[in-house]
């Protein structure tokens, strides 16, 4: 699974409408779903669609999720290996070992992970993460509960959390996982809090306070001790930042394609999806025009993601090309973000198309 740190391909989400998928602004990556089985046939999987990469103080950080696919067994000591490459991709610049955030992953559950490069090396452009192993684990009891309190989002996101311990005395860690609005969602950040020793039937508070990506639309709070865990994941919606600025509008989304029957797009044809973007006078902001296409159904499936770059006010109409691979009813969503991954326009008008 190679994740090139470039602007080759983004997936993110519109903060206000929590729907767009765009890879991290500075990082893009190719996916290769990976499974790892012990001799006992336990199944552990890196969820390829969950991953993203970002820079922090010059370091390269890759985050994502690992799933325990067994319906009965707990899995522990899940080990990861991250390889960091330069643009040649020939030999890793660094190889870093890591673990999942949760020490033990319950049956049919997920744990986030975060692996950071060993050095602040700006030559790193690609990241590859693989499973290095895991062990079967003794079970834990669900005697920890987490809930959120106040949520505020101005320049920083602030969310209060409370951990309740209904069992015996134990040392507890709490974790906050930030997600975008992709389906399935992608992990954008993981932050852990050492709650410390909790007495029986007690509660402790903690606070998440950090600058989050404008793609962030939700977070999950979980907790764990040596003997207990939270059975229910607590999801909190992230409100739009109060400092968000809208300077453009997608007024139209024309489609250009060849068809024998009007209104129907043939499978395998080339479809050009233009974006007519209006902006305020004097605006020269560089932008990225994103196109997301979902197949209609009870659970909409994301069939295509694409983007084009441009500059507001230069008169250029950005275009993204799509080749439908199977018949069906699809709807097209469009978004405009700044080059710094901040939404600068409302979502564009929907287009519903029939592929025959």
């Amino acid at each position: 699974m190679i994740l090139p740190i470039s602007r080759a391909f983004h997936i993110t989400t519109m903060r206000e409408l929590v729907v767009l998928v765009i890879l991290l602004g500075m990082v893009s990556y190719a996916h290769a779903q990976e499974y790892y089985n012990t001799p006992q046939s336990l199944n552990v999987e890196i969820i390829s669609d969950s991953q993203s990469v970002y820079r922090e103080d010059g370091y390269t950080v890759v985050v994502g999720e690992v799933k325990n696919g067994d319906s009965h067994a707990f899995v522990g000591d899940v080990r990861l290996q991250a390889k960091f490459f330069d643009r040649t991709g020939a030999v890793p610049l660094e190889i870093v070992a890591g673990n999942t955030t949760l020490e033990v992953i319950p049956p049919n559950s997920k744990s986030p992970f975060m692996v950071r490069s060993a050095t602040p090396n700006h030559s790193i452009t690609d990241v590859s993460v693989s499973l290095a192993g895991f062990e079967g684990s003794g079970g834990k009891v669900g005697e920890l509960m987490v809930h959120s309190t106040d949520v505020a989002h101005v320049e920083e996101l602030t969310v209060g959390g409370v951990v309740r311990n209904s069992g015996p005395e134990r040392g507890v860690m709490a974790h906050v996982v930030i997600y975008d609005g992709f389906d399935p969602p992608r992990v954008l950040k993981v932050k852990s809090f050492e709650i410390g020793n909790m007495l029986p039937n007690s509660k402790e508070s903690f606070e998440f306070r950090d600058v989050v990506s404008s793609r962030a639309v939700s977070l999950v709070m979980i907790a764990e001790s040596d003997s207990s865990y939270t059975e229910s994941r607590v999801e909190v919606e992230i409100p739009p930042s109060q400092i968000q600025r809208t300077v453009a509008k997608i007024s139209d989304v024309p489609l250009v394609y060849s068809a024998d029957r009007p209104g129907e797009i043939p499978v395998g044809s080339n479809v050009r999806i233009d974006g007519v973007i209006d902006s305020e006078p004097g605006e020269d902001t560089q932008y990225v025009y994103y196109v997301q296409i979902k197949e209609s159904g009870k659970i909409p499936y994301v069939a295509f993601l694409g983007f084009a770059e441009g500059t507001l006010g230069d008169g250029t109409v950005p275009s993204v090309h799509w080749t439908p691979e199977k018949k069906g009813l699809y709807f097209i969503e469009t978004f405009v973000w700044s080059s710094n991954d901040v939404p600068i326009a409302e979502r564009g008008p929907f287009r519903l198309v029939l592929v025959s």
Side-chain angles (χ1 to χ4, degrees), residues 185-356:
R186 299 173 189 272
V187 178
L188 299 179
K189 181 171 283 190
V190 181
K191 195 166 185 178
S192 298
F193 301 84
E194 185 173 357
I195 304 300
N197 202 45
M198 292 188 66
L199 298 175
N201 300 313
S202 65
K203 64 180 181 180
E204 295 288 344
S205 299
F206 65 95
E207 183 181 72
F208 174 92
R209 181 187 294 271
D210 204 349
V211 176
V212 298
S213 167
S214 51
R215 292 172 293 278
V217 300
S218 66
L219 63 86
V220 165
M221 293 181 171
I222 50 179
E224 182 185 39
S225 73
D226 289 341
S227 59
S228 184
Y229 70 103
T230 47
E231 290 184 303
S232 300
R233 294 164 64 94
V234 178
E235 184 169 340
V236 179
E237 182 178 340
I238 297 175
S241 171
Q242 297 177 19
I243 62 172
Q244 185 168 311
R245 188 172 69 111
T246 299
V247 297
K249 178 182 178 181
I250 307 173
S251 60
D252 194 12
V253 184
L255 305 182
V256 180
Y257 58 92
S258 298
D260 297 329
R261 289 176 289 184
E264 294 187 20
I265 299 175
V267 170
S269 60
N270 182 276
V271 183
R272 195 182 81 205
I273 305 166
D274 293 338
V276 179
I277 302 173
D278 302 325
S279 61
E280 298 177 358
E283 276 291 337
D284 59 356
T285 302
Q286 292 185 334
Y287 67 83
V288 184
Y289 168 65
Y290 295 100
V291 173
Q292 170 177 273
I293 300 177
K294 292 181 178 177
E295 184 177 2
S296 178
K298 185 174 182 180
I299 302 178
Y301 168 75
V302 177
F304 173 80
L305 303 168
F307 76 95
E309 297 177 304
T311 302
L312 293 178
D314 68 357
T316 302
V317 175
S319 299
V320 172
H321 293 266
W322 168 51
T323 302
E325 297 179 351
K326 66 176 183 176
K327 298 179 181 179
L329 188 64
Y330 296 83
F331 57 93
I332 300 173
E333 298 170 311
T334 53
F335 304 84
V336 172
W337 290 70
S338 73
S339 57
N340 294 323
D341 302 313
V342 174
I344 57 175
E346 302 287 346
R347 180 176 55 182
F350 279 106
R351 292 297 307 267
L352 193 65
V353 297
L354 177 65
V355 176
S356 59

Side-chain angles (χ1 to χ4, degrees), residues 5-281:
I5 303 181
S6 65
R7 205 171 181 90
F9 178 54
H10 300 258
I11 297 180
T12 187
T13 60
M14 189 85 170
R15 174 189 294 269
E16 296 184 4
L17 298 171
V18 300
V19 286
L20 180 62
V21 295
I22 303 167
L23 273 182
L24 203 55
M26 95 161 111
V27 181
S28 65
Y29 45 87
H31 302 296
Q33 200 165 34
E34 181 174 358
Y35 298 86
Y36 193 104
N37 293 279
T38 66
Q40 293 77 22
S41 296
L42 296 177
N43 186 293
V44 173
E45 164 195 353
I46 292 180
I47 304 175
S48 59
D49 287 340
S50 72
Q51 296 178 68
S52 59
V53 182
Y54 60 92
R55 301 272 196 201
E56 186 175 69
D57 299 327
Y59 292 84
T60 302
V61 183
V62 56
V63 291
E65 286 185 309
V66 171
K67 181 179 179 180
N68 172 14
D70 194 278
S71 58
H72 301 289
F74 286 75
V75 172
D77 191 25
V78 180
R79 301 178 296 279
L80 303 167
Q81 183 183 82
K83 296 180 179 180
F84 298 86
F85 299 87
D86 60 16
R87 292 191 181 277
T88 66
V91 178
L93 299 177
E94 299 179 4
I95 300 177
V96 180
N99 295 89
T100 52
T101 303
L102 294 179
E103 294 180 354
V104 173
I105 308 177
N108 284 331
S109 296
K110 299 180 293 184
S111 170
F113 69 81
M114 178 177 66
V115 183
R116 177 177 169 135
S117 64
T119 62
N121 188 345
H122 286 277
S123 298
I124 294 173
T125 59
D126 300 83
V127 184
S128 171
V129 183
S130 60
L131 282 165
F134 63 89
E135 304 292 338
S137 175
K140 293 190 175 187
V141 293
E143 294 179 341
L144 294 175
M145 296 182 62
V146 183
H147 71 267
S148 65
T149 56
D150 298 334
V151 180
H153 193 188
V154 186
E155 292 186 3
E156 291 183 320
L157 173 65
T158 304
V159 183
V162 176
V163 180
R164 297 180 181 271
N165 175 28
S166 62
E169 182 175 346
R170 52 171 59 102
V172 175
M173 292 288 295
H175 312 284
V176 174
V177 190
I178 306 294
Y179 293 94
D180 68 10
F182 186 53
D183 184 17
R186 299 173 189 272
V187 178
L188 299 179
K189 181 171 283 190
V190 181
K191 195 166 185 178
S192 298
F193 301 84
E194 185 173 357
I195 304 300
N197 202 45
M198 292 188 66
L199 298 175
N201 300 313
S202 65
K203 64 180 181 180
E204 295 288 344
S205 299
F206 65 95
E207 183 181 72
F208 174 92
R209 181 187 294 271
D210 204 349
V211 176
V212 298
S213 167
S214 51
R215 292 172 293 278
V217 300
S218 66
L219 63 86
V220 165
M221 293 181 171
I222 50 179
E224 182 185 39
S225 73
D226 289 341
S227 59
S228 184
Y229 70 103
T230 47
E231 290 184 303
S232 300
R233 294 164 64 94
V234 178
E235 184 169 340
V236 179
E237 182 178 340
I238 297 175
S241 171
Q242 297 177 19
I243 62 172
Q244 185 168 311
R245 188 172 69 111
T246 299
V247 297
K249 178 182 178 181
I250 307 173
S251 60
D252 194 12
V253 184
L255 305 182
V256 180
Y257 58 92
S258 298
D260 297 329
R261 289 176 289 184
E264 294 187 20
I265 299 175
V267 170
S269 60
N270 182 276
V271 183
R272 195 182 81 205
I273 305 166
D274 293 338
V276 179
I277 302 173
D278 302 325
S279 61
E280 298 177 358

